[in-house]
Amino acid sequence: MSDRSEWSLSAPRKLTFDAPVTALHVRVVGGTVNVVGTDTGPASLHLSEIEGPPLAVSLHNGVLSIAYEDLPWQGFLKLLDRKGWQRTAHITLTVPTETRAEVGTVHAVAVVSGLSGRTEVRGISGDSTLVGLTGEVRADTVSGSVEAQSLGGRLRFNSVSGELTVIDGTSPAVKADSISGNMVLDIAPTATPADLHLNTVSGGIAIRLPDPANVAVDAQTTSGQLSNAFDDLTVDGSPWGGPWGAWACPGGTGGKITGTL
């Protein structure tokens, strides 16, 4: 029979978990969520500020959950930011590096760093920052922006109007789709080939590539213009000048850039 521990947090508090933590589930409305992976010490939670109903915390079979009971993970992006959700919580979580993490926010800011397990982030209007993650990453957002820095695993991004910014990108594969959100990718030199598949309806796409790049590119926009500074990439669309390696901007006729460098 497994052990289960539960807490109800309605005031600032610190918790240290003696039992092992292998997975993390977080669902909050407003405030901040900071998740840090570490190779030393037990998992811990620091709730520095809270307004509104209490947070339910549980640890069961290695799964650490911090959430409101009326904020489900399934169908999360279909939720509306209702006026009745006047809630704020500022949380810092320290967990083992290999922890698998699911973080969902309505309009809270999320920062996740130092994990090697699979990470999934869902947000409605809150911004997310992902740093030094080496496992597979999935980020879904309605209007919040996502900044990813020094990721080592595959990145999957979906957005309505939220923007994606990749800094020092070393992911072996990036697949990103948006309706009107812009995408800016700064790809770092790497010995491992990378695949970039980017698609947007009216958003802009900017890609900065090293020389040599070792990258396969498939980027397209429905209504944006395209230009290209690399001879090995094929452009299907109207030319537009710019300083980037490849650039698509809103307001044009659409097009596609493909090829391998």
Side-chain angles (χ1 to χ4, degrees):
M1 184 168 64
S2 62
D3 294 330
R4 184 183 185 97
S5 299
E6 297 181 345
W7 301 262
S8 180
L9 304 185
S10 57
R13 186 173 176 182
K14 293 182 180 180
L15 295 174
T16 300
F17 306 100
D18 295 328
V21 172
T22 58
L24 175 66
H25 299 167
V26 182
R27 299 187 301 274
V28 297
V29 177
T32 58
V33 178
N34 186 19
V35 179
V36 181
T38 180
D39 292 325
T40 61
S44 64
L45 179 153
H46 180 201
L47 176 63
S48 60
E49 182 181 341
I50 184 170
E51 295 181 6
L55 281 170
V57 179
S58 67
L59 179 55
H60 179 56
N61 287 347
V63 180
L64 177 60
S65 299
I66 302 97
Y68 297 106
E69 293 182 355
D70 59 350
L71 195 63
W73 181 254
Q74 296 298 327
F76 185 85
L77 294 182
K78 298 179 181 178
L79 297 174
L80 297 178
D81 187 4
R82 301 190 297 263
K83 291 183 179 179
W85 289 5
Q86 298 300 321
R87 313 175 184 187
T88 300
H90 295 276
I91 306 168
T92 298
L93 292 152
T94 302
V95 295
T97 301
E98 63 273 14
T99 300
R100 304 182 308 275
E102 296 178 354
V103 179
T105 67
V106 175
H107 55 76
V109 173
V111 180
V112 184
S113 62
L115 297 181
S116 61
R118 188 179 189 276
T119 299
E120 187 169 351
V121 178
R122 297 183 184 180
I124 294 181
S125 60
D127 296 339
S128 300
T129 301
L130 313 173
V131 182
L133 305 179
T134 57
E136 182 179 347
V137 175
R138 180 180 180 116
D140 296 335
T141 178
V142 177
S143 60
S145 65
V146 173
E147 180 178 309
Q149 182 174 352
S150 302
L151 300 189
R154 293 176 176 269
L155 172 61
R156 182 73 174 93
F157 172 79
N158 288 287
S159 164
V160 177
S161 60
E163 298 185 355
L164 172 65
T165 302
V166 175
I167 302 172
D168 193 24
T170 56
S171 296
V174 176
K175 182 173 176 56
D177 294 282
S178 78
I179 296 177
S180 60
N182 296 325
M183 305 176 193
V184 178
L185 286 78
D186 192 348
I187 305 302
T190 176
T192 304
D195 292 319
L196 305 181
H197 295 272
L198 314 175
N199 181 60
T200 179
V201 177
S202 61
I205 299 175
I207 310 171
R208 184 171 6 222
L209 302 174
D211 185 17
N214 202 17
V215 174
V217 178
D218 184 345
Q220 60 182 343
T221 174
T222 301
S223 60
Q225 293 178 321
L226 295 174
S227 74
N228 171 40
F230 297 98
D231 294 335
D232 293 333
L233 295 181
T234 301
V235 178
D236 178 14
S238 302
W240 184 88
W244 296 88
W247 177 269
C249 70
T253 59
K256 184 174 184 179
I257 293 178
T258 58
T260 301
L261 294 173

